[in-house]
Amino acid sequence: MSGATRLAQILGVAQLPMRTRQPGFTYADLLGRIAHDALADAQLGAKDIDGLIVALSPTTLLGVDDPYYWGLAGLPGADRFLGRVQVAAASGIPALRLACAHIAARRARRILIVSGDLADEGSSLGNALGQLQDPFTDKQYPRNAITTAAVQMSGYMAANRLDERDMAHVIVKNRGNGVLNKYAQLRQPVSLEEVIASPPLAWPVKRLDSSPRTSGAAAIVVGPTDQKTHHRPTFAAGFGSFVSGRNIGARMIPKDSSYFDGSDLAVAGRQAYAMAGISDPAKDIHMAEVYASFGIIELISIEALGLAGGRNAARLLSDGSFTNPSDLPVNPSGGATCGNPISSAGLVRIIEVVEQLRGDGGERQVKRSVDRAVVSAIGGTFQSHEVGILES
Amino acid sequence: MTKFVTITGGAARTSRQFDDTLEFVVHDVVVNALKAASTSLDAVDMVVTVASDTMDGVMVATRSEIAGTCGRGFLNVPSSSGHALAAAVALIESGQAETVLLVGWGEGSKLREHDYREILANPFYERPVGGDPAAMAGLQAQRLKADGHLIEGDMEQYLREMTKRAGHQADSKSGPLAWLSPQWCDGAAALVLRAEESESDSKKGGVYVSDVGVAFRSYVPAGDDMDPALWIQDAFEHRRDEKLRPQHDPVLVEASATTPFCEARAVKGFLAKQKWIVEEACINSSGGGAAAYFGPATGLHGLVVASKFFLEGKRSADPAFGVFVDLAGPIGQAATVAILEARGARA
């Protein structure tokens, strides 16, 4: 059964296998290659595209700025470039939302969304990302993505009386899923013991709890809902967006637990579910791809999106929930745990869902039938929360 | 059902260099824009920002919060004011938002000290040969001059007049060729856009955004394609209702480009192509963008001024049209045209 409104259709998708380095590509090469692949998947030509959007998180990692001025040259739809969307790691989902808006408003008919990352251009990913912190407050203490996740993880463990072993199941699940994903960067399984024994980055976050440094690219072609396609049709049915945006200092007060319980992401989730006509996500959603650069973010996201039925995600995972043969697989791609090209992270989530909805997941195809899925991504450190509902 | 979009209020501030930190200025324009629109932040369900990494980098997230994103939906479109306006319009028309706060800002004064925009150039092909934005602007000016579209004396005069209209002193660091370069300043602007159920409702209550079109050229446009007037013409033809023309000549034009000469040429060439006659005083009464440039958000300043012209003027049954032009990027290659319509305005 369709949602209340279908905004647009996903006509074509493409992603590059994720690697630490992509030595054969410049930024422009990445975009050109991925645009070509997405159009081929959609069985469309360049002249069929009348809009182009680039999803691009802060370009500090690339060592250049606003590279779309030279990177988009010659791409399909470039003559009608509709803009860059920059909501940090969440960029892909609002980019899709924007494309759907232009199409639903009849301002474009078929839009290509591209993204690419070359994360190896600088010597330190951590230092590059650290440029995004407020220099007056955040830099007084070592707040970065890792320490932020560590605060969340330790808070979550304390609130739910969990230990490090309980928290490691999500990584084991994802790494196991990554083995079957030909696009994943990390394709070796890990055991609980290996996760717990991996070097601590900032306790309780271990190396294996966190995503790798990844270069990659992704693209999707979006079109009207009535476009005929050779794939099983997949549609964007709902979106939610919510910014909490309070710097961490303002969050560390007793009444504000959103940083630990994902209640801000839950708001975005409710918006998306309402738009798609979903009242019980634990039943109506058949799979999920949630952006989680650290395992703790996946746990919080599962609960915030209503997929755990009010129960604790870590405990459910340890009992086998959210795995591929379960009723509601989460991150069958392996998630960002197995590869995290930051600008492309949101699009990669969308692409995984589309391929699953089409039945094109190959070895990693989820065992249950999938008609409706949720994708989510968080920009910054729990600042922007983006959710999308896709269905076939 | 497609909704219709009106601008109901706006506010902007520019200065060669603000005494306040930019966060306070952003907050100030947002408060004043909401006041001008007779609404409050509670009524806003989506905030669209033009927050450029190049200009503000590390401060983008913090300033977005101060701009009012907290508790609302959010979309950051840092590529240009025109793209952000088109995004806000599409979000409202498609029913994904009801009331959008469109905010942009930029701390351009630091680029007056050191223009570091060579980081915009392709590091493999352009930077090694010195193809930074300043060089590209010079090439563009040379081409326009060779084609008879640029007279240096006219450009000097244009910049003087625009600087005066912007209410700024001439930049003491500028030389006789100042019209070749952005005249950097600090700035912030905010507008409130609202959904209306019908076109007639949208024209009564505010400034109706009747259409938007975009066009784009790469950093190094092909061959001799350097004329921004043609880029604006392309954007005009890329509108949803490309054949629809305003019933009368526009009563105002607000255009923003990165450099004064690009802006001057774009407006003159485009108006000539359309055979529109607009009083000179009504072209960039704000001072335009290039004389007070604070990055890709600069165009929002002109949009605020255009909106105020319509909102504060007398209303009559006759429609009045305005044209908003935005050219962002090193040589203005990200082009946007929007047609504004209101019932009646001051002559």
Side-chain angles (χ1 to χ4, degrees):
Chain A
M1 180 178 157
S2 74
T5 308
R6 281 179 169 173
L7 295 160
Q9 186 179 176
I10 314 297
L11 303 176
V13 299
Q15 60 176 310
L16 281 189
M18 294 176 262
R19 301 285 180 266
T20 306
R21 293 182 177 79
Q22 302 276 2
F25 294 97
T26 64
Y27 180 69
D29 294 334
L30 272 186
L31 299 189
R33 162 71 183 276
I34 207 64
H36 169 271
D37 290 353
L39 257 66
D41 184 64
Q43 292 190 351
L44 292 171
K47 61 175 170 45
D48 297 315
I49 305 297
D50 61 355
L52 177 66
I53 292 171
V54 64
L56 181 59
S57 65
T59 54
T60 342
L61 305 176
L62 279 172
V64 294
D65 227 338
D66 295 344
Y68 41 89
Y69 288 118
W70 45 269
L72 301 184
L75 289 187
D79 62 328
R80 299 190 194 214
F81 176 46
L82 293 167
R84 169 193 177 191
V85 171
Q86 197 282 73
V87 187
S91 297
I93 297 179
L96 175 61
R97 172 159 49 93
L98 179 60
C100 290
H102 278 289
I103 289 167
R106 295 181 303 108
R107 293 198 168 276
R109 186 141 172 91
R110 291 179 210 90
I111 294 175
L112 172 66
I113 307 173
V114 294
S115 67
D117 300 86
L118 291 170
D120 62 325
E121 302 288 278
S123 60
S124 168
L125 176 64
N127 286 345
L129 291 175
Q131 298 295 313
L132 305 172
Q133 309 301 342
D134 184 324
F136 303 109
T137 57
D138 293 354
K139 288 206 171 154
Q140 304 305 312
Y141 61 97
R143 179 164 100 94
N144 55 43
I146 299 170
T147 55
T148 303
V151 168
Q152 285 181 304
M153 191 168 167
S154 55
Y156 184 87
M157 288 164 67
N160 295 286
R161 299 181 195 278
L162 299 164
D163 60 24
E164 291 170 64
R165 191 175 185 84
D166 296 323
M167 302 297 286
H169 287 279
V170 63
I171 302 299
V172 173
K173 166 186 76 74
N174 285 341
R175 289 294 296 265
N177 289 344
V179 172
L180 302 175
N181 183 3
K182 62 184 178 181
Y183 300 110
Q185 179 182 358
L186 301 180
R187 299 192 66 188
Q188 305 83 30
V190 297
S191 66
L192 280 177
E193 288 68 30
E194 283 173 315
V195 176
I196 294 165
S198 63
L201 299 179
W203 189 90
V205 172
K206 316 284 191 309
R207 181 179 296 283
L208 288 179
D209 284 313
S210 65
S211 54
R213 181 169 172 173
T214 310
S215 302
I220 61 177
V221 180
V222 190
T225 53
D226 60 358
Q227 168 105 24
K228 295 231 183 304
T229 171
H230 60 290
H231 293 294
R232 185 181 185 210
T234 56
F235 303 95
F239 291 102
S241 173
F242 186 81
V243 171
S244 54
R246 290 177 288 278
N247 284 327
I248 189 172
R251 288 197 173 98
M252 302 301 281
I253 53 176
K255 287 183 184 172
D256 184 356
S257 62
S258 62
Y259 203 57
F260 302 104
D261 61 21
S263 48
D264 292 331
L265 178 62
V267 173
R270 285 194 292 273
Q271 291 172 357
Y273 292 142
M275 197 185 286
I278 293 171
S279 55
D280 187 349
K283 276 197 205 159
D284 297 334
I285 293 292
H286 305 149
M287 64 157 285
E289 276 282 326
V290 306
Y291 174 68
S293 46
F294 300 89
I296 175 61
I297 297 178
E298 181 166 334
L299 298 174
I300 292 176
S301 297
I302 289 171
E303 293 172 14
L305 292 171
L307 305 178
R311 291 171 290 169
N312 180 264
R315 290 207 171 84
L316 287 170
L317 265 159
S318 66
D319 291 339
S321 295
F322 311 122
T323 57
N324 192 337
S326 72
D327 289 340
L328 206 168
V330 176
N331 288 349
S333 65
T337 305
C338 294
N340 186 18
I342 294 177
S343 289
S344 311
L347 289 189
V348 168
R349 307 278 78 75
I350 292 165
I351 291 169
E352 177 66 20
V353 160
V354 168
E355 292 193 339
Q356 294 282 353
L357 286 167
R358 287 176 180 175
D360 290 345
E363 284 186 285
R364 71 189 192 281
Q365 181 68 38
V366 300
K367 303 295 181 279
R368 61 153 301 160
S369 68
V370 180
D371 294 316
R372 186 179 276 168
V374 62
V375 294
S376 71
I378 297 173
T381 43
F382 266 57
Q383 285 161 309
S384 304
H385 305 79
E386 306 288 335
V387 177
I389 309 297
L390 300 166
E391 63 183 27
S392 60
Chain B
M1 187 179 85
T2 305
K3 303 274 183 106
F4 298 87
V5 182
T6 57
I7 299 172
T8 54
R13 282 176 60 183
T14 65
S15 170
R16 282 287 175 228
Q17 188 163 5
F18 286 128
D19 291 333
D20 282 335
T21 62
L22 192 57
E23 287 73 36
F24 287 103
V25 179
V26 171
H27 178 263
D28 186 48
V29 298
V30 167
V31 165
N32 285 324
L34 291 167
K35 191 173 160 188
S38 300
T39 189
S40 71
L41 201 54
D42 288 343
V44 173
D45 55 346
M46 177 75 70
V47 180
V48 176
T49 60
V50 188
S52 161
D53 294 349
T54 308
M55 303 294 296
D56 295 286
V58 65
M59 299 307 290
V60 165
T62 307
R63 287 176 181 155
S64 297
E65 296 175 31
I66 290 164
T69 58
C70 189
R72 281 148 197 90
F74 174 50
L75 184 68
N76 182 27
V77 186
S79 42
S80 80
S81 298
H83 292 156
L85 173 66
V89 168
L91 286 167
I92 291 174
E93 287 181 339
S94 64
Q96 289 195 56
E98 282 286 319
T99 304
V100 172
L101 179 61
L102 176 57
V103 195
W105 57 84
E107 205 157 26
S109 58
K110 60 191 177 207
L111 279 93
R112 199 162 76 247
E113 300 302 320
H114 171 61
D115 188 345
Y116 51 76
R117 291 179 302 151
E118 66 267 19
I119 55 173
L120 299 181
N122 185 322
F124 303 105
Y125 300 113
E126 283 137 21
R127 243 184 275 180
V129 297
D132 63 13
M136 292 307 300
L139 281 172
Q140 184 182 36
Q142 201 174 51
R143 167 57 68 180
L144 290 174
K145 185 174 175 182
D147 291 344
H149 297 313
L150 188 156
I151 298 171
E152 292 182 38
D154 290 352
M155 294 302 102
E156 290 172 28
Q157 168 60 24
Y158 178 81
L159 178 56
R160 270 198 300 274
E161 179 62 26
M162 291 300 117
T163 303
K164 188 171 125 194
R165 292 185 190 184
H168 291 178
Q169 296 294 320
D171 190 342
S172 58
K173 290 180 186 284
S174 300
L177 294 176
W179 49 267
L180 270 173
S181 307
Q183 302 302 295
W184 297 105
C185 75
D186 295 340
L191 296 108
V192 179
L193 292 89
R194 191 179 70 203
E196 299 287 353
E197 295 297 327
S198 72
E199 192 172 329
S200 57
D201 283 344
S202 68
K203 289 174 188 171
K204 286 179 203 161
V207 182
Y208 169 46
V209 184
S210 73
D211 215 340
V212 184
V214 298
F216 183 77
R217 299 293 196 278
S218 68
Y219 190 93
V220 181
D224 57 358
D225 180 14
M226 289 278 220
D227 188 352
L230 298 181
W231 305 345
I232 289 296
Q233 181 62 29
D234 278 353
F236 188 68
E237 290 169 9
H238 289 170
R239 293 170 301 134
R240 179 175 59 194
D241 299 314
E242 59 189 277
K243 293 192 170 31
L244 195 62
R245 287 179 57 82
Q247 297 155 278
H248 315 295
D249 288 2
V251 298
L252 67 85
V253 175
E254 280 293 333
S256 170
T258 313
T259 56
F261 76 88
C262 176
E263 183 177 287
R265 166 56 196 161
V267 172
K268 185 176 177 184
F270 177 58
L271 290 179
K273 176 81 178 170
Q274 297 303 317
K275 298 188 173 62
W276 284 335
I277 299 184
V278 182
E279 284 184 38
E280 197 274 335
C282 293
I283 300 174
N284 281 355
S285 64
S286 66
Y293 190 69
F294 52 95
T298 304
L300 294 186
H301 175 217
L303 195 56
V304 167
V305 170
S307 304
K308 281 188 171 178
F309 178 89
F310 288 117
L311 288 167
E312 294 170 8
K314 284 185 190 171
R315 311 294 267 189
S316 76
D318 293 330
F321 298 94
V323 178
F324 166 69
V325 168
D326 186 46
L327 291 153
I331 55 172
Q333 56 258 78
T336 306
V337 170
I339 305 299
L340 310 174
E341 185 181 335
R343 295 282 166 181
R346 293 196 302 273

